[in-house]
């Protein structure tokens, strides 16, 4: 039956991915929306970020900007850590329902905030709660989709994770830009209520859409619900429960689960982190995300309006439009790399080219900003048109995000998911995820202050981190392109190539002996022919 379905064979898997990845869009949207909201004039006036002479209180504005953005990452850090135990007990689908509901509560709090005295506290609380929900969603969504996808489309479907994040960020930029164009919205609480309230749209699609999809067959099998796992797997493959293909895939799932259970039996933290060949992998997992978060992309992404204003695109409308274009380029560049080059370039070369390109562009931007600072804004006079130097710097930022999307953005997740063995993979991915959210929080917290205090030097700082940090780091780590997961133990010194080859030959001999034994007693052969 399945073979006759053609391109529609996996339609239910694609539908599941479409629903679940609204959570990823939500992840991108919520991380990109805050910078534009805080840059709006009415937001600053309503929450006391303006001095008595109607000038912006820079220190207070920086503090609020960093808090509104960074508390989301703080909540997400704990949400991601909590998701593992919750997901293992409740399943992928119900866990997403729980975290999406939690997120929605936070979104409602940020949307209804208004009072100048208590409003900011409500926004902070809402962002923390939303962050907790997003942390769980971002951790569970890709695993859920991967577990339900067949081998032939798994890479294509799971690889769209970064594309959907970029799409969410792009939408957030244009929501803020649209509000800046509407004069009726600029002088009332709608400048934050609409952007924060729009979060409930993808959250609602995800929450209600989850009731149209099935639970992960792999999770069901892992908790002993074999019959339900078989039914769900057959449903996703649009095949019969008695199909040889479905039964074979379920058998493979059960075998892998048993292997993982045996591999982790008796595993303690000391062996996990300090076992032979393990420690260097954990160091790589931690450091690769440290450099990713300090590459400068998140600073540009979270505070794009402020960044563009600092290079000459002053005024909320022009800065937000420049941010929206930045978001479009990021989506397109990420999609082109994931679907066209991630396997051909390899991990090391992708990271190296990405780091060199980003670092070089940041140095150029910093030099132009030093020699050609943007014109000063004079109160009561029209905003000046961005000069050629500002346009050149904006173009450099657009090229910068292309380099980010071809390496430092998607590759760390790919690399970390490959290098750990089954026995310690859950520890490794947890450390990588926590490192990502930790440095994400730190960068988003300090960026507004750095923009104000460093000026053009902030670009030199990020340029140095990319070239000296990620550039050299990418040359030191092993290449994993085209290598099997089993090869990772050899690459990182857990076992020698000779020992691994001996183990392979041993298992091959055992399999051949079992096959020979099975051929000597063939149950499918009629008894009268055996005689």
């Amino acid at each position: 039956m399945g073979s006759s379905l053609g391109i529609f064979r996996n339609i239910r898997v694609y539908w599941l991915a479409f629903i679940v990845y609204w959570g990823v869009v939500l992840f991108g949207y919520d991380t990109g929306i805050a910078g534009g909201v805080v840059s709006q004039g009415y937001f600053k006036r309503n929450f006391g970020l303006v001095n008595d002479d109607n000038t912006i209180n820079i220190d207070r504005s920086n503090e609020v900007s960093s808090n509104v953005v960074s508390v989301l990452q703080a909540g997400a850090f704990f949400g991601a850590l909590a998701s593992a135990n919750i997901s293992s007990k409740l399943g992928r689908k119900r866990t997403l329902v729980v975290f999406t509901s939690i997120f929605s509560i936070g979104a409602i709090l940020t949307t209804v905030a208004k009072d100048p005295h208590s409003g900011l506290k409500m926004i902070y609380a809402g962002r923390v709660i939303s962050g907790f929900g997003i942390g769980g969603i971002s951790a569970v969504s890709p695993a859920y989709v991967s577990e339900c996808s067949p081998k032939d489309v798994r890479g294509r479907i799971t690889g769209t994770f970064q594309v959907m994040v970029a799409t969410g960020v792009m939408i957030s930029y244009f929501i803020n830009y649209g509000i800046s164009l509407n004069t009726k919205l600029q002088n009332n609480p709608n400048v934050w209520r609409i952007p924060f309230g729009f979060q409930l749209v993808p959250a609602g699609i995800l929450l209600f859409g989850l009731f149209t999809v099935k639970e992960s067959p792999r999770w069901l099998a892992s908790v002993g619900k074999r019959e339900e796992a078989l039914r769900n797997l057959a449903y996703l493959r649009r095949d019969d429960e008695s199909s040889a293909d479905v039964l074979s895939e379920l058998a493979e799932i059960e075998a892998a689960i048993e292997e993982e259970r045996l591999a982790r039996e008796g595993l303690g933290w000391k062996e996990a982190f300090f076992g032979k060949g393990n420690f260097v992998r954990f160091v790589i997992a931690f450091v690769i995300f440290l450099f990713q978060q300090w590459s400068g992309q998140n600073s540009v992404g979270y505070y794009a309006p402020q960044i563009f204003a600092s290079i000459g695109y002053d005024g909320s409308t022009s800065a937000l439009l420049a941010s929206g274009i930045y978001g479009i380029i990021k989506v397109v560049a990420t999609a082109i790399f994931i679907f066209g080059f991630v396997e051909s370039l390899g991990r090391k070369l992708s990271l190296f080219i990405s780091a060199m390109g980003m670092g070089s562009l940041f140095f150029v931007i910093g030099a132009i900003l030093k020699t050609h600072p943007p014109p000063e804004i004079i109160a009561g006079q029209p905003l000046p048109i961005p000069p050629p130097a500002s346009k050149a710097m904006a173009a450099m930022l657009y090229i910068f995000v292309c380099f980010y999307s071809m390496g430092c953005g998607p590759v760390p997740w790919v690399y970390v998911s490959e290098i750990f063995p089954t026995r310690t993979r859950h520890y490794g991915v947890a450390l990588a995820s926590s490192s990502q959210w930790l440095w994400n929080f730190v960068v988003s917290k300090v960026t507004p202050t750095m923009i104000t205090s460093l000026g053009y030097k902030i670009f030199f700082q990020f340029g140095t981190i990319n070239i000296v940090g990620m550039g050299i780091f990418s040359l030191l780590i092993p290449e994993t392109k085209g290598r099997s997961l089993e090869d990772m133990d050899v690459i990182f010194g857990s076992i020698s190539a000779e020992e691994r080859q001996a183990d392979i030959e041993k298992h091959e001999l055992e399999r051949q002996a079992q096959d020979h034994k099975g051929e000597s007693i063939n149950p499918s052969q009629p008894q009268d022919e055996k005689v």
Side-chain angles (χ1 to χ4, degrees):
M1 174 182 174
S3 60
S4 65
L5 296 173
I7 61 174
F8 296 103
R9 176 181 177 86
N10 295 313
I11 190 67
R12 288 169 177 165
V13 179
Y14 282 107
W15 173 254
L16 182 143
F18 171 75
I19 292 298
V20 172
Y21 276 156
W22 274 101
V24 182
V25 172
L26 186 65
F27 168 38
Y29 179 87
D30 217 53
T31 55
I33 197 66
V37 168
V38 176
S39 69
Q40 297 285 357
Y42 183 81
F43 182 94
K44 293 180 179 180
R45 292 192 299 273
N46 186 76
F47 292 113
L49 309 185
V50 178
N51 297 318
D52 294 335
D53 59 357
N54 208 33
T55 59
I56 302 299
N57 186 324
I58 300 298
D59 292 338
R60 177 66 174 150
S61 179
N62 287 343
E63 178 188 359
V64 172
S65 296
S66 65
N67 287 342
V68 170
V69 175
S70 63
V71 292
L72 180 87
Q73 280 73 45
F77 175 82
F78 293 103
L81 292 179
S83 67
N85 287 333
I86 297 175
S87 179
S88 65
K89 293 178 181 178
L90 296 183
R92 316 312 187 212
K93 178 179 172 178
R94 284 187 289 179
T95 298
L96 284 179
V97 170
V98 170
F99 278 106
T100 306
S101 300
I102 292 173
F103 169 85
S104 299
I105 294 172
I108 292 171
L109 284 177
T110 57
T111 303
V112 301
K114 180 182 178 180
D115 185 81
H117 302 290
S118 62
L120 273 180
K121 295 178 181 178
M122 287 184 66
I123 290 177
Y124 292 158
R127 293 283 287 177
V128 171
I129 295 171
S130 294
F132 187 86
I134 279 181
I137 292 170
S138 66
V140 176
S141 292
Y144 186 12
V145 172
S146 178
E147 289 177 353
C148 294
S149 302
K151 296 176 181 178
D152 55 337
V153 297
R154 181 178 295 134
R156 186 183 312 139
I157 293 177
T158 57
T160 58
F161 179 92
Q162 191 74 17
V163 178
M164 301 305 284
V165 172
T167 300
V169 174
M170 179 190 68
I171 293 172
S172 73
Y173 290 157
F174 278 102
I175 291 285
N176 281 327
Y177 176 61
I179 291 173
S180 72
L181 293 178
N182 192 321
T183 56
K184 294 181 179 179
L185 300 177
Q186 291 178 8
N187 294 305
N188 61 65
N190 286 327
V191 296
W192 68 82
R193 283 184 170 173
I194 291 177
F196 284 145
F198 187 82
Q199 299 171 103
L200 294 170
V201 174
I205 295 174
L206 172 60
L207 186 60
F208 291 105
L210 285 170
F211 293 100
T212 69
V213 299
K214 298 288 187 180
E215 179 57 86
S216 162
R218 197 181 194 284
W219 177 79
L220 291 168
S222 71
V223 294
K225 298 182 178 180
R226 187 182 189 280
E227 294 304 317
E228 189 176 353
L230 177 60
R231 286 196 301 271
N232 285 9
L233 185 61
Y235 172 83
L236 289 169
R237 301 296 179 263
R238 302 189 70 192
D239 213 337
D240 297 324
E241 293 179 25
S242 59
S243 166
D245 290 339
V246 172
L247 291 172
S248 176
E249 185 173 355
L250 181 61
E252 184 179 3
I253 289 172
E254 291 178 322
I257 290 171
E258 182 61 23
E259 288 173 2
E260 291 175 9
R261 185 178 291 116
L262 292 174
R264 293 174 184 174
E265 187 175 356
L267 178 66
W269 69 268
K270 186 175 181 179
E271 178 195 344
F273 286 91
F274 297 104
K276 186 177 181 181
N278 285 352
F279 184 71
V280 66
R281 299 189 231 199
F282 283 99
V283 171
I284 289 174
F286 184 83
V287 174
I288 198 169
F289 279 106
L290 183 155
F291 286 134
Q292 184 208 52
Q293 295 304 305
W294 281 97
S295 67
Q297 194 284 328
N298 277 350
S299 292
V300 177
Y302 292 146
Y303 300 101
Q306 292 92 321
I307 292 285
F308 280 103
S310 73
I311 63 173
Y313 282 79
D314 219 321
S316 61
T317 300
S318 60
L320 289 170
L321 176 59
S323 304
I325 297 172
Y326 179 89
I328 292 175
I329 294 173
K330 183 178 180 181
V331 171
V332 174
T334 304
I336 291 174
F337 174 73
I338 286 177
F339 293 114
F341 298 100
V342 68
E343 293 298 339
S344 59
L345 286 178
R347 320 310 186 223
K348 288 169 63 75
L349 185 58
S350 294
L351 283 174
F352 182 76
I353 294 175
S354 177
M356 293 297 106
M358 291 191 301
S360 300
L361 287 165
F362 270 143
F363 273 108
V364 172
I365 293 171
I368 295 176
L369 188 59
K370 168 65 175 174
T371 57
H372 296 77
E376 294 184 8
I377 307 300
I378 301 176
Q381 294 189 7
L383 292 173
I385 297 174
S390 296
K391 295 178 180 179
M393 287 184 280
M396 294 293 175
L397 285 176
Y398 296 150
I399 300 172
F400 154 82
V401 79
C402 294
F403 277 105
Y404 173 82
S405 299
M406 70 167 292
C408 288
V411 169
W413 288 109
V414 175
Y415 195 86
V416 167
S417 68
E418 293 175 330
I419 62 176
F420 288 98
T422 299
R423 189 165 171 82
T424 59
R425 184 169 293 120
H426 59 308
Y427 283 108
V429 174
L431 177 72
S433 178
S434 61
S435 175
Q436 189 263 350
W437 285 115
L438 170 65
W439 297 115
N440 203 322
F441 167 77
V442 173
V443 170
S444 61
K445 179 66 178 172
V446 302
T447 293
T449 301
M450 290 195 300
I451 294 173
T452 301
S453 59
L454 295 180
Y456 71 90
K457 296 177 184 177
I458 190 175
F459 296 105
F460 290 163
Q461 169 190 290
F462 288 137
T464 301
I465 291 172
N466 280 303
I467 293 175
V468 179
M470 183 65 89
I472 295 177
F473 180 76
S474 65
L475 298 177
L476 298 177
I477 61 176
E479 177 61 76
T480 60
K481 184 191 78 168
R483 304 294 293 269
S484 69
L485 295 180
E486 289 71 30
D487 284 340
M488 299 302 157
D489 287 337
V490 177
I491 292 174
F492 288 97
S494 296
I495 190 173
S496 68
E498 292 76 14
E499 291 173 319
R500 174 54 57 82
Q501 184 60 35
D503 288 341
I504 293 174
E505 292 174 356
K506 176 183 176 182
H507 283 286
E508 286 179 345
L509 291 173
E510 291 176 351
R511 180 180 57 80
Q512 291 171 3
Q514 291 175 351
D515 291 345
H516 179 71
K517 182 179 179 180
E519 290 173 0
S520 64
I521 306 175
N522 189 347
S524 65
Q525 185 180 21
Q527 292 294 323
D528 58 341
E529 292 183 11
K530 293 182 184 177
V531 178

